[in-house]
Amino acid sequence: MLKEVLLGVLTGAVALTIGILLGHFAIDKGSSVPDWVRDASRDVDESIIEKFLAELDTNQLRENLRELTKVPHMATTPGDEATVDFMLKRWQDPNTGLDSAWRENYKVYLSFPNKTSPNKVSVGKTGYLFTAREREKVYKPDQEDPEVVQPYAAYSPAGNVKGKLVYANQGKMSDYELLNRTLDLTGTIAITRYGGEGRSKKFRSLTRSSWYTSFIALNAINAAKFGIVGVLVYTEPYDMNDGLVSESETYPHSWYLPPSGVERGSYNIDFGDLLTPYLAAKDDTYRIPKEDITGIPPIPAQPIGFEDAERLICELDGDDAPNEWQGSLNCTYKLGGPGFKSTSTFNNSNVHLDIYNTERLEYSANVMGIIRGSVEPDRYVIYGNHRDSWVHGAIDPSSGTAVMLEITRVLGKMVKEGKWRPRRSIIFGSWGAEEFGLIGSAEYTEEYFSKLSERTVAYINVDISVFANATLRASASPAAQSVIFTASKQVKAPGTTTTVYENWKQYSNRTSPNYGIIPNVGFLTGAGSDYAAFMHYLGITSMDISYFYDRSKTRARIYPAYHTAYDTFDYASTYIDPGFTSHQAVARTAGNVLLRLADSLLLPFNCSDYAESLDQYLGQAVTAFEEKLAAKGISMEPLKKAVQLFRDTAAKLDRLIRDSDLAKETPLKVRQMNDQLMLLDRAFLDPLAFPEQYGFRHVIWASRSSSVPTFPGLADAVEKAESTGLKEDWDQAHKHISIVTQAIAGAAHTLDDVI
């Protein structure tokens, strides 16, 4: 009897539940239903997007940038603290602010020049025959600000060294090896140039702003292996100025770097606070001994301008440097005797590096803000940009901060007026101390590791929003390609009659087997910007969006005033984006993406686009490595099958999404599908895949040293095995095939139906 009663109760409960669900989904949309029912099935509102796009204002963007660049704001300085207060004031504004905003403080290990004992580069035996500039030449009042930091190499050790000079091109291992064939490098000083397109192989896959500092850190690390005692670094005008060297052709007369301009930078390889690896740098956090820090120069290093580099390079003795080492300075570049030629006034003189850098713990703040979601407040879309700069930082990073502030002004106003609230929560982050090695974003991800790993939908990065005013540029997880395309099709390209999408396709495109000719979306390989900790450490689907210049018209590896005292409001408003229309285009595109990620019922990610990228990587690997691996008895068939499995399950999920009426699905079904999409990049994480690379766990997009654009662990392992011929190295290649094979197969299973 009890069994029958229980069975009857259970049957009734099931019938009641089915009845409620059927009744819920059969309700006429015009009838009275609970708010949560409407909210649960609400999709992105295109009219809201249109209103948002229309509100983004070029005048507001201009004034944001003007305010952000009033004073230099290097991390932890009074100028940086003033910028923190400014961000908080804006995000706490009662009319246009966010739901809440706050600061997150971290105690981080930073490197600074000594204000009372400036770093010095000189030539002489007993007295000084030549001394390099300690500060850049003043052209505008901005350069006269007493808070303009002397050019220096952050994390270069202090020291007083001297030696005969040699020219070492870009300071790659191959460059030093070439010199070492004919010269004794022990006790010498090397002068090197910031890399152009032929940057260091070790960081070949790094993108944009931080590859060059990683390269220079490695430059000095490499140099020390050959007995070199100090390194000078300069910006080669061939690489940055299209060969222009005279004051009349450079800023303030054009966008090109003046002869005295010096790129500052953080000369460390790893991202995050150097004393608290994998831990947030709070007051009471354990810190490793300073002597255990790796990835920073073991010898003194100092950047100089190309006018001073010319004085040194053009006096060198020795053989002519190879053709590919030549540049645009007014002489034939020579290797050095070591030292200067006998006819030079510098003959028999040493180059002296007197470096007085100091390291100390300082408090740095991330400024955080949130708009809470109405339906899924426990799901986050994060939008971030770093705040600190080396000097005024108009382009890097304040162009991105100006865009973020305008996006938050418009969204905040809509929230305050009750006109809109996102489905999911939106977190805004203004990262601190990023110029010292992506510290703020790394500390944030380390402190909130579990929360972010399980709940974050995506990370949108707009670091340098406008390099120039020609075309959009985006790098992203392949899953995010489609939403970027959708957004860019709704925005007009400045100065044209076409869309950002069509304009972008004209400047940079590729042929897709699925779509034909489309804009080229780069991959987020390496630790190129603030997205690094989110993509590579947490596996959060990420993207980086900016406006870029026409590559056919310049060789400049980045905008020429980068990290110098000339990156000012005047420079940005005169030469980069006079009407601030490119800032507006980035704001409209990135903001459109943000709204779609925050408001869409189903996350606008496309798994088949990911499959296409894996196919592309597989093709490169097969072409480059299959025969070599087969000769060692190692098969690539498991990897091919894994990619095929991913392709099939991605297509199956895409069909399911296309054929579903999601508004009539249960909220739990939609949540399940969103979790599959949200967690896709997490499925590619392997914390043991790259034990020698700090913070890299994503087996598809980690940095690589190989020139083959394919799976990084496999590519590096095969090339190492080829160079050594050792069985253990071929075993590592086999291991990396297994690592990437199982990661791809595992990711495929996350897209399939539940077991």
Side-chain angles (χ1 to χ4, degrees), residues 24-102:
H24 156 49
F25 290 108
I27 291 173
D28 179 73
K29 295 300 182 183
S31 64
S32 176
V33 296
D35 289 343
W36 70 266
V37 175
R38 289 197 184 93
D39 289 343
S41 60
R42 188 189 75 205
D43 207 348
V44 63
D45 187 337
E46 294 293 339
S47 68
I48 291 292
I49 291 180
E50 289 175 6
K51 292 174 183 176
F52 166 77
L53 298 179
E55 286 289 319
L56 296 167
D57 186 74
T58 55
N59 290 324
Q60 292 283 348
L61 288 159
R62 177 185 288 105
E63 293 312 307
N64 287 347
L65 190 65
R66 191 192 308 276
E67 182 67 30
L68 290 164
T69 57
K70 280 184 175 178
V71 296
H73 49 284
M74 190 170 70
T76 76
T77 64
D80 182 40
E81 189 62 26
T83 311
V84 169
D85 293 339
F86 175 63
M87 299 293 296
L88 285 171
K89 180 180 178 181
R90 289 287 298 271
W91 286 355
Q92 293 172 346
D93 185 278
N95 299 315
T96 60
L98 309 178
D99 287 336
S100 61
W102 64 97

Side-chain angles (χ1 to χ4, degrees), residues 477-500:
S477 165
Q481 173 183 276
S482 60
V483 69
I484 298 173
F485 285 173
T486 298
S488 64
K489 289 175 181 178
Q490 290 186 293
V491 180
K492 182 180 177 182
T496 75
T497 58
T498 188
T499 64
V500 163

Side-chain angles (χ1 to χ4, degrees), residues 270-312:
D270 298 331
F271 58 87
D273 179 61
L274 297 179
L275 292 181
T276 59
Y278 297 112
L279 296 170
K282 309 300 283 188
D283 276 333
D284 56 356
T285 302
Y286 166 75
R287 287 172 168 80
I288 64 173
K290 294 177 183 178
E291 54 270 22
D292 289 350
I293 294 174
T294 59
I296 59 176
I299 56 177
Q302 175 69 18
I304 60 175
F306 67 77
E307 68 173 1
D308 287 328
E310 184 172 57
R311 287 291 311 277
L312 299 173

Side-chain angles (χ1 to χ4, degrees), residues 646 653 672 675-677 679-680 683 745-753:
F646 187 96
L653 181 59
Q672 173 194 321
D675 282 351
Q676 289 176 290
L677 295 168
L679 298 175
L680 175 57
H749 290 308
T750 69
L751 302 179
D752 209 350
D753 292 336

Side-chain angles (χ1 to χ4, degrees), residues 706-728:
S706 170
S707 61
V708 181
T710 186
F711 308 111
L714 173 61
D716 288 353
V718 171
E719 290 201 353
K720 182 179 180 182
E722 280 190 286
S723 67
T724 66
L726 297 175
K727 181 182 182 300
E728 54 262 38

